[in-house]
Amino acid sequence: MSALQLEGLRKSFGSLRATDNVSLGVEDGECHAVIGPNGAGKTTLIGEITGEIAPDAGRISLFGVDVTSWNVPRRALSGLARSFQITQLAPGFTALDNAAFAVQARQGHSFRFIADARKDKRLREPALAALEQVGLADRADRNAEALSHGERRQLELAVALAMQPRLLLLDEPMAGMGPEEGARMVEILRGIKRTMTIVLVEHDMDAVFALADRVSVLVNGAILKTGTPREVRDDARVRDAYLGAGAH
Amino acid sequence: MQLFLEQLLNGLQLSLTLFLLAAGLTLVFGIMGVINLAHGSLYMIGAYAGAYAAAKTGTFWLALPAGLAAAALVGAAMEFIIVRRLYARDHLSQVLATFGLILFFNGFIAWSAGRSPLLIETPPQLAGFVEVLPGLRYPAYRLAMMAVGVAVALGLWWMISRTRVGMLIRAGSDKREMVEALGVDIAKLFTLVFALGALLAGLAGVMVGPIRSVQIGMGEQVLITTFVVIVVGGIGSIRGAFAGALLIGLCDTLGRAYVPMLLKSWLSGPLADGLGAALASVIIYLVMALVLVIRPRGLFPVSG
Amino acid sequence: MRLKSLALAGAALLSLTGAAAAQQPLKLGIVTTLSTPGGYLGEDARDGILLAIAEEGGKLGGIPIQPLVEDDKLKPGDAKQIVDKWIENDKVQLFTGIIFSNVSVAVVPSILEAGGIFVSPNAGPSNFSGKACHKNYYVASWQNDNLHESAGALAKKLGYKKMVLLAPNYQAGKDAITGFRRMYGGEVIEEIYTGLEQTDFAAEMARIRAAKPDAVFQFHPGGQGIAFLRQWTQAGLKDQIPMVVASPSLEQRIAGAAGDAAIGIAATAHWNTDFKNAENEAFVKGFRAKYNREPTVYASQGYDTAKLIASALNASGGKLDDSFRAGMLKADVKLTRGPFKFNKNQHPIQDWYEIKAVKGADGKVVLESGAKVLEQHGDAYAKDCNL
Amino acid sequence: MLNRTNLATLLVVLAFLAVPMAATWLGTNYVITLATRVAIYGIVAVSLDMLVGRGNLVSFGHAAYFGLGGYAVAIASFHLANDVPIFGWSGTNEALIAWPLAMAVAGLAALVIGALSLRTAGVYFIMITLAFAQMLFFLFVALKYYGGDDGLSLSTRNLFAGNRITDSRTFYWICVSALALCVLLSWRILNSRFGMVLRGAAASERRMAALGFPVYRYRLAAFVIAGMMAGLAGALWANQNRFVSPDMLSWVRSGEFLVMVIMGGLSSLVGPVVGAAAFLLIESYLSGATEHWQMIFGPFVLLVAVFAPRGLWGAVRGKDRQ
C-alpha cells in the first residue's frame, strides 16, 4: 500500500495550469523528494495534498483512503503532518506551547474547558520530547517569535514531529538557512527518516540527494520524471529543463 | 404593471443613491484597508453644508458645490489627522476610532446647526414630474438623481480603468512598495482617494436633501445599509458595489411594496400588514446572509 | 482603579451638596430627548419649561426651582438610569420632560414607586390613562389617541369616504391608526406600515396612487414627516389626493422645513402660534426673544406644563403632598392653549382645532388655526380610571 | 507574587467589596445602583473579550445576545403576570429557571448566527454579525405583542430561589457574584485545552488547521459561550431596570460594548471590567454635565482607539508581561 497516491491532479488559476495531470505514488516508509524550478507548481501541489487547495480534477489517497473531499484538519488527524515554507508558528506562545498544540491535536477533541493545559503532563512531556528530538529543549520557554530563524525552522519540524504523523510533508525545510544550520537539519531528518514516510519539497539539491530514496521532478505543473536520485541526475530532459537552467 | 414599473424605478433610484455612498466606502476599504464607520457622517456633513448654503443663497445650484466641498474637505482633514494613523492598525481600532467620530460629528452638528431637521429646496428646474410612459408620471428630481448616479458610475469606471490614478488604485494597498517605486507619494494618493470617497458621500447627502429631511443621525440610518451593499458586492470592488447597490436597492423597495401584499393573500389584514412591514425591514439582511452563506467574500470578491 | 475612587469621591461630593441643600430650591428633574433625530422635540419642551421658570425669576409659583436637565438619547434604559440617579442621589421628587411614549412607559413606574410626581409635557400613552392611572401622574399635553381622534374627526367633517392610512410600524404608529379610526368611521382601503427609520417613501406612494383613495392620513413625526411631505409633492400626489394629519406630523418646525409642500394639508392641534389670548401672546413673544426661533407645539406644552406646576406649587406652598395634588387638579391657571381642565384620569379635557399651512407675509410658511374640530374633548380611557 | 497586575486586580476586588459600605457612608444608594450596572456590563465586556481579545473575532453584534437574554426573562415574566401560557408553559418568575433560560436562548441564537458568520472572516465577520443583530433589533421592534418599540416592563424583579431580590444590596451581591463567576470561568477556559485552541487559532489559524484542529467548531463554541454570558448579563439588566426594549439590541450598544473592552484592555480578564466601569462613569458624568456630551465623548473614544489600544489595563500592566 502506498502512503500517498495522487491521480490526475489538475488545478488552474485562470489560464495558468498550476498542476497539470499530476500522478504520483509515495511508498510507505520512503523519503520522496519533489523538486522543480520556481513556478513549477510545488506550492499548489502541497496545497492540494494538505487540503488547503481543492483540485479541479483528480484524486488524493492517504494510506489507501480517498481523502479528496476531506478538509485540512481531517487529513491532519489521519496522519498527515506538514511544515510550512514560511514558518507558521503561533506568536505569543512559547516553543513548548507550539509543540504542545500538536500533541493536543492528536489526543482527541479539545472541548475541555477547566483544567489548565499548561500544567497537563500528557501535553507537556511529549511536546518536550519533540523539542529534544530537534535539539530545541533549551529554548522551550522562549516565545516563538523570539527564536532565531534557524531555530524557528527547527521548531516547525518539532511541531510536525509532535503530531507523530505517518506521513510528513516538509515544505522547503532548509529555506533561508546557512550551511551550518542546513547541515544540522539534514542530520535531524536523517535521524527520523526510517520512522515515517516523508515527502520533501526542497530547493537544496545537496539535501535532496543526501536524503531522498526517490525524486520526482515537477516542471510547468507536470511530473517530468520520477526515479532514484541517480536516475534523475542522469536524465537529460531533467538536466535541460531544470538542473542546467537554474540549479544551486 | 404600471405600478410595478414605478416601483422598479423607485428601486433603481434608491440603488443609485446607495451606490454613491458604497463606492466611496469600498474604495477606501479596498485601497487603504480602513473600515470607516464615519462615512455616514460625511454624508450628513454634505447634506448640512448644502442645506446651509441653500438657506443662505436660496438656490440648490450653490448648495451642491457647497456640500461637495464641505464633505471633501472634512474627509481630507479626517484622513490627514486621524485615519492615516489607522492604516497599520487592526479593524478593531478602526471601528472604535470611527465610532468615536460618529459621536463627535452628531454632537457637533447639534451644537452648531441645532436639532431642527432642515431641508434643501428642490431646484425649480426639476420640481415637476416627467411622463416616463403614458400614464406613468415620475418626479423629475428623482430621474435627475438616477442620471447623476449613472454618470458617477461611468466616471468611476473610466477613472479606474483608464487613468493613472485608477491604475494606482487598482494596484491596491498590498502593492504599496510597487506604487511607491513608481515615484508616487502614497500618502497624497490616500488623502486624495479618501477625499474622493467623502465627496461622493457628500454628493449623495446634498442630493437627498430635497427628498429626505436633513437631520442628525441621517448618516447612521444609511450607513448600515451601505455596509450591507458593499459586503454583498465584495468589499473593495467598485463593480461589486454597483451590483450590491442594485440588488439591495431593488430588494428593499420591491420588498416593501410587495411583501405585505403577498402576505395579505393568505393572512388576515392587520397581521399581514404588521408582519409584512417587519419582514420588509429585515429583507436586506436576509439577502446579505444568503449571499454570504453562498459566497463568503461577496458577489465580486477582490483577490489578494 | 483610580477612576473608581474618583467616582466615589464624586458621588460623595454630590451627596454632600445634596444634604446641605435641604432648604435650597426645589429640584425639578427634566429628563428629555436632546440627541437623535427626535432631539428637537425635547429641546423645545425643555426651553418652554425653562422660559416659564426664567420669567418668574428662577421660580415657579413663588418657589425657587433648580432644574436638572439630562438627555435620555431616546433610550428608555438610559432614561431610567438618569431617573434612578436623581431619585437616589439628588432626592428629586418632581419630574417632567419625557417626550416619547416608549421612554415614558419605562420610566414613569420607577418615579411613581419612589413616591415621585410626574407631569408629562408630551407623551400620554394609554398604559397609564385607564386602569393604571395614578394620583401622582399628570399629563399636561394630551392622551396619545386625542391627536389622531381629532384628525379622524376632521377627516369625517371634510367628508372623505375612502382613505389610506400610513404610520410607522411601532406602537405609537399603531395607536395612531386606532385613534384615527375611532372618530373617522369611513372606509379604510389600506393600512400601510412604514419602517422605524425610513425616510424614503417612494414605494408607499406608488401604492397609494394605485389605491386611489379620497384622502390619506399619515402619522410621521419629525424628520420623517418633512420627508414625507416633500416626496408627496414631488410625486405629484399633492394636487391629486388630499391629506389629513395630526399635530406631530405638521407642527411649526415641520411646516418651516417642508415649505410649500405643507400648504393645503389639513391638520389638527390643541394649540397654535396664532391663538389670541394674552398668555399665548406673551409666551410667543417671550420665546422668540429668548431663543430667537419660532416656538413649536412642544414648546407651548413645556411652557403650559411649567405653568400648571407653578399653580400647584403656589397652592401647596412648595410642598409635594396632597395640597400639591389639589392645586394641580384645580388647574387654576391660564394656559397658552385656552380652556383646560383635568379629566378624572388626570389627562386633559380641551378643545381641538383645525390647522392649515399658509404662506405668511414674509413668504415663509406658517400654520394658521381654524374652526374647532372637537370641543372639550377627553379620552376613551378615563372611564376605566378609579381616582 | 504581588506585581502590578495582581495588585490592581486586588484593588478592583476590594472596590467591589467596599461598595455597600461606601453607600452607607455616603448615604446614597446610587453608588450601589451604579456598581450593579458596572458588574452587569462587566459580564458583557468579559464575554466579548473572549471573542475579540482572545479569539480575534470582532463581533459587532454582541448586543443581540444581551438583548435576547433580557427579553427571555421579560417574556417569561410577562406570560406569568398576564396568565397567558406560551406553548403550554405558564411562564416563570423564578430566577433559577428564567436566567438559565435566558442563557439558553442567547446561546441558541449565538449558535445559529455564529454558524453562519464564522464562515466569513475579517471585515466580513464584523459586518455580518452587525447585520444579524440589526435583524433581531427590527424583529423586536415589530413584535407588537411584546411591546414592539415601546419595550416590555417587568411587574416585579424575579424571585431568586423563592426569595425577593428587590433590595438593592441583595441584588448587587447577586450581580457581583455572577461577574466573579464569569471572570473565573473565563480564566479557566482561556487556560484550558479549549482556550489554547481558541487563542492558537487567533495567532495562526493556518497552523491550527494543519495540526488537525477543526478551528470553526472551537470558534463556534466560544461564540456560544460568550453569547450565553451576554444573555445572563441581559437577564440581570432586565431585572435591575425591570424593563427591556429593542434598544438593548441596537448596533450603538454593540459599539459601546466594544468601546468598554478596548478602553479596559483587550485580552486581560479584569481589564474589560475596569473598562465597563470607566465607560459608565465617564458617560454618566458627561451626559449629566453637558447636553453636548457627544462632542467630548466621541473624541475621547477616538483618542483611546488611536493612542491607547492596550487600554487602561495595558497601562496598569505596564512592564509586567515580559
Side-chain angles (χ1 to χ4, degrees):
Chain A
M1 181 186 66
S2 54
L4 174 69
Q5 190 72 47
L6 308 178
E7 291 164 42
L9 286 185
R10 285 176 205 274
K11 180 75 191 179
S12 304
F13 297 103
S15 59
L16 175 77
R17 290 198 173 164
T19 54
D20 189 4
N21 201 14
V22 171
S23 296
L24 179 70
V26 177
E27 294 306 315
D28 205 355
E30 146 180 62
C31 177
H32 194 119
V34 176
I35 61 171
N38 276 328
K42 295 187 305 259
T43 307
T44 306
L45 187 65
I46 291 170
E48 286 170 316
I49 296 172
T50 59
E52 285 183 340
I53 297 172
D56 298 332
R59 268 162 38 95
I60 302 161
S61 308
L62 283 174
F63 304 102
V65 182
D66 185 347
V67 300
T68 315
S69 64
W70 292 15
N71 63 11
V72 177
R74 195 167 172 203
R75 291 186 199 191
L77 288 179
S78 76
L80 170 65
R82 70 166 301 182
S83 73
F84 290 89
Q85 183 185 350
I86 300 164
T87 49
Q88 292 281 337
L89 299 160
F93 291 87
T94 63
L96 189 60
D97 288 337
N98 270 282
F101 280 136
V103 179
Q104 187 179 329
R106 67 176 156 84
Q107 288 183 357
H109 70 81
S110 289
F111 288 100
R112 299 178 190 185
F113 297 97
I114 302 299
D116 192 332
R118 284 196 170 107
K119 291 180 182 147
D120 190 337
K121 282 196 182 129
R122 288 177 55 229
L123 295 178
R124 302 312 258 192
E125 282 172 0
L128 195 59
L131 291 184
E132 274 164 3
Q133 214 174 341
V134 302
L136 268 185
D138 56 333
R139 292 281 188 269
D141 292 329
R142 277 275 178 98
N143 266 7
E145 68 272 22
L147 297 175
S148 74
H149 177 78
E151 286 170 337
R152 267 182 278 163
R153 302 234 57 113
Q154 282 167 269
L155 181 53
E156 273 279 336
L157 183 62
V159 172
L161 291 176
M163 290 172 73
Q164 297 189 345
R166 291 202 280 165
L167 174 64
L168 180 60
L169 178 60
L170 296 169
D171 188 357
E172 302 200 14
M174 320 291 171
M177 281 189 162
E180 219 166 288
E181 287 175 321
R184 203 159 141 217
M185 183 60 89
V186 171
E187 270 322 295
I188 296 168
L189 291 178
R190 211 195 293 278
I192 59 172
K193 199 177 143 186
R194 291 289 160 223
T195 60
M196 64 190 75
T197 313
I198 297 175
V199 174
L200 175 66
V201 178
E202 186 49 72
H203 246 27
D204 185 333
M205 287 306 136
D206 295 338
V208 167
F209 292 124
L211 290 166
D213 301 318
R214 286 198 298 160
V215 178
S216 291
V217 184
L218 195 65
V219 175
N220 291 333
I223 301 271
L224 187 69
K225 166 87 185 170
T226 296
T228 63
R230 178 179 295 275
E231 285 165 5
V232 168
R233 208 191 317 237
D234 295 345
D235 190 289
R237 284 180 308 159
V238 172
R239 216 171 305 172
D240 285 351
Y242 180 53
L243 294 177
H248 298 231
Chain B
M1 190 59 209
Q2 188 175 321
L3 178 62
F4 179 74
L5 282 177
E6 186 172 351
Q7 299 292 24
L8 212 57
L9 280 174
N10 288 333
L12 283 175
Q13 186 256 315
L14 175 63
S15 299
L16 288 162
T17 309
L18 284 175
F19 172 70
L20 290 182
L21 284 156
L25 199 59
T26 211
L27 265 182
V28 167
F29 186 84
I31 295 163
M32 310 168 202
V34 168
I35 89 183
N36 178 19
L37 293 185
H39 197 67
S41 299
L42 295 167
Y43 164 83
M44 174 175 78
I45 287 165
Y48 266 93
Y52 181 78
K56 286 279 168 222
T57 66
T59 164
F60 176 82
W61 303 114
L62 287 173
L64 198 58
L68 293 179
L73 282 175
V74 173
M78 215 162 108
E79 197 278 342
F80 195 75
I81 299 167
I82 295 148
V83 177
R84 107 174 358 187
R85 297 170 198 279
L86 299 171
Y87 292 143
R89 303 284 282 277
D90 55 7
H91 293 321
L92 189 59
S93 298
Q94 298 167 356
V95 164
L96 204 66
T98 51
F99 183 76
L101 278 177
I102 294 182
L103 293 180
F104 170 74
F105 281 122
N106 282 345
F108 177 76
I109 292 284
W111 173 73
S112 60
R115 298 190 173 88
S116 274
L118 305 175
L119 233 134
I120 302 173
E121 284 294 331
T122 317
Q125 298 86 337
L126 298 171
F129 27 80
V130 175
E131 196 142 337
V132 191
L133 282 172
L136 174 56
R137 292 153 133 203
Y138 201 73
Y141 186 76
R142 284 181 191 260
L143 287 175
M145 281 177 80
M146 290 162 76
V148 170
V150 171
V152 167
L154 290 174
L156 281 176
W157 172 79
W158 174 79
M159 187 189 86
I160 288 175
S161 58
R162 297 291 156 87
T163 66
R164 186 175 146 80
V165 174
M167 189 272 287
L168 296 172
I169 287 174
R170 269 179 297 144
S173 54
D174 36 315
K175 300 193 189 92
R176 210 182 154 131
E177 299 81 14
M178 189 200 92
V179 175
E180 271 172 337
L182 291 172
V184 176
D185 182 347
I186 198 116
K188 230 178 244 164
L189 176 72
F190 280 11
T191 311
L192 190 77
V193 172
F194 200 90
L196 175 68
L199 182 96
L200 292 177
L203 175 64
V206 184
M207 286 215 313
V208 301
I211 295 187
R212 307 181 188 184
S213 60
V214 175
Q215 59 186 7
I216 295 162
M218 65 188 285
E220 287 84 270
Q221 289 168 9
V222 81
L223 173 77
I224 296 186
T225 315
T226 308
F227 271 124
V228 171
V229 166
I230 66 168
V231 167
V232 164
I235 301 177
S237 154
I238 294 278
R239 200 160 47 130
F242 193 75
L246 278 181
L247 181 65
I248 293 302
L250 287 173
C251 281
D252 187 53
T253 306
L254 297 180
R256 271 192 287 132
Y258 292 105
V259 167
M261 279 193 211
L262 288 176
L263 276 178
K264 232 176 208 167
S265 58
W266 48 275
L267 272 177
S268 69
L271 186 63
D273 286 331
L275 200 66
L279 212 61
S281 62
V282 299
I283 210 161
I284 60 169
Y285 303 108
L286 290 174
V287 170
M288 167 171 163
L290 194 71
V291 168
L292 287 191
V293 165
I294 299 166
R295 303 187 67 134
R297 293 173 62 84
L299 294 175
F300 293 92
V302 175
S303 54
Chain C
M1 207 39 249
R2 260 167 268 157
L3 273 168
K4 188 100 202 170
S5 46
L6 204 71
L8 288 174
L13 211 69
L14 283 173
S15 67
L16 284 179
T17 50
Q23 312 87 342
Q24 295 288 313
L26 180 70
K27 286 175 181 165
L28 175 62
I30 305 172
V31 54
T32 193
T33 305
L34 295 173
S35 49
T36 80
Y40 79 89
L41 280 66
E43 183 178 48
D44 267 14
R46 175 199 64 187
D47 288 348
I49 297 167
L50 295 182
L51 175 65
I53 298 172
E55 281 178 354
E56 241 195 87
K59 294 179 182 177
L60 283 179
I63 308 298
I65 295 288
Q66 181 195 344
L68 306 173
V69 182
E70 207 158 315
D71 178 12
D72 63 29
K73 301 159 215 162
L74 194 34
K75 292 187 195 167
D78 285 37
K80 197 145 179 158
Q81 290 168 7
I82 294 164
V83 165
D84 282 348
K85 178 175 73 181
W86 283 345
I87 291 173
E88 290 172 354
N89 226 7
D90 303 274
K91 317 289 180 224
V92 178
Q93 283 293 296
L94 184 58
F95 294 85
T96 182
I98 297 177
I99 296 297
F100 291 94
S101 294
N102 56 340
V103 177
S104 169
V105 168
V107 172
V108 165
S110 308
I111 296 175
L112 300 179
E113 276 163 32
I117 296 170
F118 181 75
V119 188
S120 175
N122 195 63
S126 56
N127 307 51
F128 309 127
S129 43
K131 261 203 196 93
C133 61
H134 192 283
K135 69 181 173 66
N136 285 337
Y137 174 78
Y138 307 86
V139 174
S141 47
W142 20 256
Q143 205 287 319
N144 281 0
D145 293 9
N146 292 163
L147 298 166
H148 313 292
E149 286 165 356
S150 60
L154 179 61
K156 187 177 180 184
K157 187 176 149 194
L158 295 171
Y160 301 132
K161 299 279 184 287
K162 306 182 298 179
M163 290 186 73
V164 170
L165 317 182
L166 287 100
N169 188 32
Y170 56 80
Q171 199 57 40
K174 286 165 181 162
D175 291 349
I177 286 188
T178 313
F180 182 87
R181 277 170 171 263
R182 186 176 293 137
M183 301 294 266
Y184 164 56
E187 185 197 348
V188 174
I189 314 177
E190 201 168 0
E191 288 177 7
I192 299 178
Y193 289 97
T194 52
L196 182 61
E197 291 178 337
Q198 187 178 333
T199 47
D200 193 335
F201 302 96
E204 286 75 12
M205 288 183 187
R207 277 171 73 184
I208 297 172
R209 197 201 305 273
K212 297 192 175 61
D214 287 352
V216 51
F217 165 75
Q218 57 96 7
F219 169 65
H220 289 98
Q224 273 194 317
I226 300 170
F228 195 96
L229 295 184
R230 300 295 296 239
Q231 292 165 32
W232 187 251
T233 311
Q234 284 160 0
L237 284 162
K238 193 177 158 220
D239 307 323
Q240 295 176 351
I241 305 171
M243 185 190 290
V244 181
V245 299
S247 136
S249 311
L250 185 65
E251 25 83 344
Q252 288 71 17
R253 287 218 205 182
I254 293 186
D260 290 349
I263 289 174
I265 289 168
T268 55
H270 63 300
W271 173 88
N272 196 36
T273 331
D274 63 0
F275 275 17
K276 297 273 179 282
N277 62 58
E279 290 69 31
N280 191 48
E281 279 157 9
F283 160 69
V284 171
K285 201 169 146 223
F287 193 92
R288 283 178 185 152
K290 183 160 186 211
Y291 301 111
N292 198 23
R293 62 173 196 264
E294 280 296 290
T296 60
V297 67
Y298 307 108
S300 85
Q301 288 166 190
Y303 188 79
D304 282 357
T305 302
K307 288 291 181 189
L308 280 166
I309 291 173
S311 74
L313 286 176
N314 190 29
S316 74
K319 290 198 287 290
L320 294 176
D321 53 11
D322 286 347
S323 57
F324 177 87
R325 179 158 186 247
M328 274 303 271
L329 292 181
K330 220 161 142 199
D332 185 17
V333 60
K334 292 230 186 315
L335 299 184
T336 59
R337 69 187 80 165
F340 173 94
K341 61 177 186 256
F342 275 116
N343 209 339
K344 73 169 176 172
N345 59 352
Q346 302 177 178
H347 286 55
I349 296 179
Q350 58 197 349
D351 297 338
W352 289 83
Y353 298 84
E354 193 175 338
I355 301 284
K356 57 178 188 265
V358 296
K359 268 259 196 296
D362 56 354
K364 283 193 180 146
V365 175
V366 294
L367 296 185
E368 204 176 78
S369 57
K372 264 184 210 168
V373 179
L374 293 170
E375 187 152 0
Q376 290 300 293
H377 181 63
D379 61 83
Y381 302 94
K383 61 179 182 344
D384 299 327
C385 169
N386 296 313
L387 276 179
Chain D
M1 188 172 53
L2 203 65
N3 56 22
R4 289 162 59 120
T5 314
N6 291 349
L7 187 67
T9 309
L10 189 68
L11 284 174
V12 172
V13 173
L14 286 177
F16 272 111
L17 293 177
V19 161
M21 276 183 286
T24 312
W25 177 61
L26 296 167
T28 167
N29 252 345
Y30 184 62
V31 180
I32 294 183
T33 309
L34 197 64
T36 308
R37 205 173 295 142
V38 168
I40 293 172
Y41 282 109
I43 295 173
V44 185
V46 167
S47 74
L48 186 57
D49 185 45
M50 188 188 291
L51 298 180
V52 179
R54 313 301 181 133
N56 197 17
L57 302 168
V58 182
S59 166
F60 204 161
H62 213 52
Y65 316 107
F66 179 69
L68 281 172
Y71 264 97
V73 165
I75 287 173
S77 142
F78 170 84
H79 283 281
L80 187 70
N82 290 306
D83 209 11
V84 229
I86 173 171
F87 303 125
W89 180 53
S90 63
T92 184
N93 214 6
E94 171 54 57
L96 294 181
I97 301 171
W99 298 0
L101 177 77
M103 294 170 75
V105 169
L108 199 66
L111 181 69
V112 175
I113 293 174
L116 292 170
S117 307
L118 287 165
R119 292 169 45 89
T120 66
V123 69
Y124 287 90
F125 182 77
I126 300 179
M127 290 304 142
I128 196 171
T129 47
L130 170 66
F132 276 118
Q134 280 295 102
M135 218 158 100
L136 285 172
F137 169 79
F138 281 115
L139 197 73
F140 277 104
V141 167
L143 259 184
K144 190 190 169 197
Y145 187 69
Y146 296 123
D149 188 43
D150 286 353
L152 191 59
S153 289
L154 283 76
S155 51
T156 69
R157 266 186 198 161
N158 286 145
L159 296 172
F160 193 87
N163 301 304
R164 291 166 61 85
I165 51 174
T166 41
D167 174 59
S168 60
R169 280 159 204 253
T170 313
F171 189 67
Y172 172 73
W173 287 121
I174 289 175
C175 291
V176 170
S177 311
L179 172 66
L181 263 174
C182 286
V183 171
L184 283 177
L185 192 67
S186 302
W187 175 58
R188 297 306 311 180
I189 286 177
L190 292 169
N191 288 312
S192 70
R193 288 187 176 214
F194 176 82
M196 292 299 274
V197 179
L198 183 68
R199 291 156 59 196
S204 173
E205 178 172 358
R206 227 177 136 200
R207 156 63 69 198
M208 297 309 271
L211 291 180
F213 292 108
V215 169
Y216 173 86
R217 282 182 225 167
Y218 292 98
R219 286 184 167 157
L220 185 55
F223 206 77
V224 171
I225 294 172
M228 288 171 77
M229 281 190 193
L232 174 65
L236 294 172
W237 195 92
N239 267 285
Q240 190 189 16
N241 295 296
R242 288 199 292 129
F243 174 75
V244 296
S245 74
D247 167 61
M248 283 178 85
L249 300 88
S250 74
W251 76 276
V252 175
R253 202 177 283 272
S254 292
E256 288 171 356
F257 289 157
L258 282 175
V259 174
M260 289 177 198
V261 173
I262 302 191
M263 206 190 265
L266 280 172
S267 305
S268 60
L269 281 165
V270 189
V273 182
V274 175
F279 181 94
L280 287 171
L281 292 174
I282 295 170
E283 196 203 20
S284 121
Y285 173 74
L286 274 185
S287 60
T290 165
E291 60 174 285
H292 297 295
W293 59 276
Q294 288 180 316
M295 270 179 73
I296 301 166
F297 196 58
F300 176 74
V301 170
L302 187 125
L303 289 177
V304 168
V306 175
F307 294 111
R310 295 178 64 213
L312 291 168
W313 203 254
V316 168
R317 191 145 61 177
K319 297 174 210 82
D320 279 4
R321 283 268 300 236
Q322 260 316 323

